[in-house]
Amino acid sequence: MKYLILILSFLLFALGMIILLISLYVFGLGFFTIAMTTGTLIGFIATIIKPRIGYTIIFISTIVWLLRYSEHASFLIFYDIENFGRWIMVLIPLSISAVLFGLSLKAVQNERKKEFKFIWIPITLITFISIGLLSFVRKSHINEINCWYYLDNKSDTIKMTFAISPQHKFDALCHSKNLKELILQQGIKYESIDGYYFPESKVKVITSFKKITNVKVMGFRNSETNKKINFENDFEIDINSIKGDKSILKPRFTWGD
């Protein structure tokens, strides 16, 4: 069993390194996969030197793998269920970590001279999957989206157009005198466009499963001029006024997460 645990933990570590390389090339490094991959490597080395400590570290590491990739699988269920390639990349670490979880749990129990009960494995795995699903009851995330603001001289209603490309954009309304004043002070104005441009606007989105429950504008930054502004108070968008490509506002899971 020790050699099987070593082989599986090495495979999980190697898979983590592949995911990290893909993420670094495409998205940038994420915290979770770095932590999980590092933990698996430490457990692999410790198992060779001192099995009891190694089994415990691998056991804890696989719990983190299972929780994170159960959440990733839940994301696919809600937002990208037909993405076959991504399902493969999620199910492989889930399968390896599930088997490794059972083996390392049995090894830890054996080292402590305690009776091993198989029933705890399916119960625990079902619990992890449920936690992954329940994490989408309330999901908060921040996106940076280019935005144009169009002001109404007769009211404090502001029309917003958020876009990540000409094909992917949505319109929304916000009602705020303070935001209107900020736009007049800080917005970028072009002669060919009626509105005010805020590049890389920071938008906080709260969703419940697939339903958008709250959207707020927190500030913006301009990479070209190295200018960054964070609003003292977030400005809430009227979610009932949102029209267009709402997929822009969905939670993001990259390979490095």
Side-chain angles (χ1 to χ4, degrees), residues 86-253:
R86 194 161 185 177
W87 269 112
I88 292 175
M89 289 299 293
V90 169
L91 290 176
I92 291 175
L94 260 180
S95 301
I96 295 175
S97 55
V99 176
L100 195 53
F101 168 80
L103 291 173
S104 59
L105 174 61
K106 187 175 188 303
V108 168
Q109 295 291 73
N110 290 343
E111 288 288 330
R112 294 180 178 179
K113 303 293 190 290
K114 292 185 178 180
E115 182 184 357
F116 174 73
K117 294 182 179 180
F118 179 81
I119 188 63
W120 285 110
I121 294 178
I123 291 174
T124 309
L125 292 178
I126 291 170
T127 301
F128 292 152
I129 294 170
S130 299
I131 291 172
L133 288 167
L134 290 173
S135 69
F136 283 87
V137 170
R138 187 185 185 278
K139 181 69 70 176
S140 174
H141 64 283
I142 295 173
N143 289 344
E144 286 190 345
I145 313 170
N146 293 330
C147 185
W148 285 262
Y149 296 79
Y150 302 92
L151 306 182
D152 186 341
N153 294 328
K154 297 180 181 180
S155 71
D156 295 328
T157 298
I158 303 160
K159 179 186 175 184
M160 304 173 171
T161 297
F162 293 89
I164 57 175
S165 73
Q167 293 76 32
H168 299 284
K169 61 182 181 179
F170 69 88
D171 296 324
L173 298 177
C174 180
H175 312 283
S176 172
K177 182 179 179 181
N178 291 335
L179 179 57
K180 187 175 181 179
E181 291 174 355
L182 279 169
I183 292 169
L184 290 169
Q185 294 170 10
Q186 304 292 345
I188 300 171
K189 186 68 176 173
Y190 296 105
E191 291 183 3
S192 58
I193 301 176
D194 293 334
Y196 292 82
Y197 179 47
F198 277 69
E200 299 162 289
S201 290
K202 188 184 293 184
V203 180
K204 183 177 182 180
V205 185
I206 298 175
T207 57
S208 179
F209 296 114
K210 294 186 70 172
K211 183 180 179 182
I212 297 170
T213 59
N214 192 277
V215 182
K216 294 181 179 180
V217 181
M218 305 172 65
F220 80 97
R221 67 186 178 95
N222 188 340
S223 301
E224 294 181 2
T225 61
N226 201 27
K227 184 178 183 179
K228 183 177 181 180
I229 293 178
N230 292 317
F231 300 147
E232 290 185 7
N233 298 299
D234 300 340
F235 296 99
E236 189 167 337
I237 291 173
D238 180 1
I239 59 173
N240 295 319
S241 70
I242 297 174
K243 296 179 181 178
D245 186 6
K246 293 184 180 180
S247 67
I248 297 171
L249 297 172
K250 74 180 182 181
R252 307 280 178 192
F253 269 76

